[in-house]
Amino acid sequence: MTAVADFSDLWDPRPGWLNTASYGLPPRPGWEALQAALRDWQVGATSWEPWDKSTTRARESFARLVGADAADVFVGSTVSAAVAPIAASLPDGARVLVDDIEFTSNVYPWMVHADRGVEVVAVSTDQFVDAIRPGIDLVAVSAVQSATGTVLDLAQVIAACKEIDALLVIDASQAVGWLPLDVTGVDALVAHGYKWMMSPRGATFGYLSPRLQERCRPLHAGWYAGRDIGDSYYAPKMQLADDARRFDQSPAWFCYVGAAPALELIEQIGVETIHRHNLALANEFRAGIGLPPGNSAIVSAAIPGADEAFAAAGIRAAVRGGNLRVSFHVYSAQADVQLALEALDGLVKT
């Protein structure tokens, strides 16, 4: 059976890195591929086409990770830009439901359409499913909440959306790479790769269901969205790809050079294996600060003075919504948990 420990030599984390929810650390294959491409760029050793092959590899790997057909996956640069064509497709007066702690990349793209009557309704996490009622046209929510680490009951949300025929858009930036996911029943799933997929910032992936592809206009269409990329360089004819690739943004090549090996390594290790590893460490930390077991690789806790204690101990984490936020991934170890608990000694009651 594959174990995370079998791959531990592919990372070089400085002890105390507990902040993957902010950005992930690159595995050696991704780092080395990126350095090689940068060296080639520096001296003009190659054309761009070899770099661009990484975009195809990354697209196909992402599709496998979320149970999608690669023909239904597009690439881009940010979550907000990926969501924008969906928001533009909403009719005037549409109502969008979001969590009141939703990261704004999955909120602002809907809110900017307020001038044509699009209304964003925000409710608390514990009331979210009950708020999926007739009158809601689209549900936009994260698979894992950035601020709290709360894991969405995706099956329940899918069922509620289906009952009222509402579109469902999932931001999976805090999920893909450690949480098993499948796009069945989802209309769109978008994720930036620089967190749990351990890719350079600038590599974003999105799944669009066939029904949503038909509703959306490819607002970012350029040469890379052409049916034949090599024949799409110059005006005035336009023949876009027939599949989700027509929603591609022209990729930042080097980001995908680093992304492809990272995603393929996640596949090799196995998301289920990474999931078990991350939860074991997160729950060991939770037990150490007096919390019951959870189901997330992100732990959020109100511990006054924790940020200062971590800084003094050289531990890198985050503060979100006034709470300490720590996050565990494939390169995290029990030693990191113990280092964190020692730093918090005297600040928590267990």
Side-chain angles (χ1 to χ4, degrees), residues 195-215:
K195 298 178 185 290
W196 306 89
M197 286 184 272
M198 302 172 289
S199 303
R201 182 173 170 86
T204 296
F205 306 88
Y207 160 80
L208 283 181
S209 67
R211 79 160 174 163
L212 197 51
Q213 290 179 44
E214 292 303 314
R215 290 182 53 160

Side-chain angles (χ1 to χ4, degrees), residues 36-46 51:
L38 293 175
R39 286 192 295 270
D40 285 347
W41 173 45
Q42 184 180 29
V43 298
T46 182
W51 302 332

Side-chain angles (χ1 to χ4, degrees), residues 23-229:
Y23 70 84
L25 307 184
R28 188 165 293 110
W31 176 259
E32 292 178 348
L34 179 56
Q35 303 316 303
L38 293 175
R39 286 192 295 270
D40 285 347
W41 173 45
Q42 184 180 29
V43 298
T46 182
S47 183
W48 59 270
E49 288 87 355
W51 302 332
D52 189 55
K53 289 180 180 178
S54 297
T55 308
T56 299
R57 288 169 51 199
R59 185 198 311 268
E60 293 174 347
S61 184
F62 177 82
R64 292 189 292 268
L65 286 171
V66 300
D69 189 318
D72 295 324
V73 171
F74 65 95
V75 298
S77 57
T78 66
V79 166
S80 54
V83 170
I86 307 172
S89 76
L90 290 176
D92 292 356
R95 299 180 78 229
V96 178
L97 178 68
V98 302
D99 194 299
D100 64 6
I101 57 168
E102 188 72 14
F103 197 82
T104 51
S105 293
N106 196 21
V107 179
Y108 288 176
W110 318 106
M111 294 186 76
V112 296
H113 291 274
D115 63 307
R116 56 188 189 87
V118 174
E119 179 186 2
V120 173
V121 180
V123 300
S124 62
T125 301
D126 59 346
Q127 298 177 340
F128 193 79
V129 175
D130 290 339
I132 305 174
R133 299 174 180 174
I136 295 297
D137 299 290
L138 184 145
V139 174
V141 65
S142 290
V144 178
Q145 285 296 339
S146 171
T148 63
T150 300
V151 177
L152 185 71
D153 187 334
L154 184 56
Q156 194 175 26
V157 171
I158 288 172
C161 289
K162 184 176 180 181
E163 189 171 337
I164 64 170
D165 195 29
L167 293 170
L168 177 57
V169 177
I170 297 293
D171 180 349
S173 297
Q174 295 286 9
V176 180
W178 77 269
L179 183 68
L181 284 173
D182 190 285
V183 296
T184 303
V186 173
D187 292 290
L189 183 147
V190 297
H192 206 305
Y194 74 97
K195 298 178 185 290
W196 306 89
M197 286 184 272
M198 302 172 289
S199 303
R201 182 173 170 86
T204 296
F205 306 88
Y207 160 80
L208 283 181
S209 67
R211 79 160 174 163
L212 197 51
Q213 290 179 44
E214 292 303 314
R215 290 182 53 160
C216 294
R217 179 178 298 179
L219 298 179
H220 305 300
W223 68 278
Y224 202 77
R227 182 182 302 167
D228 180 353
I229 291 177

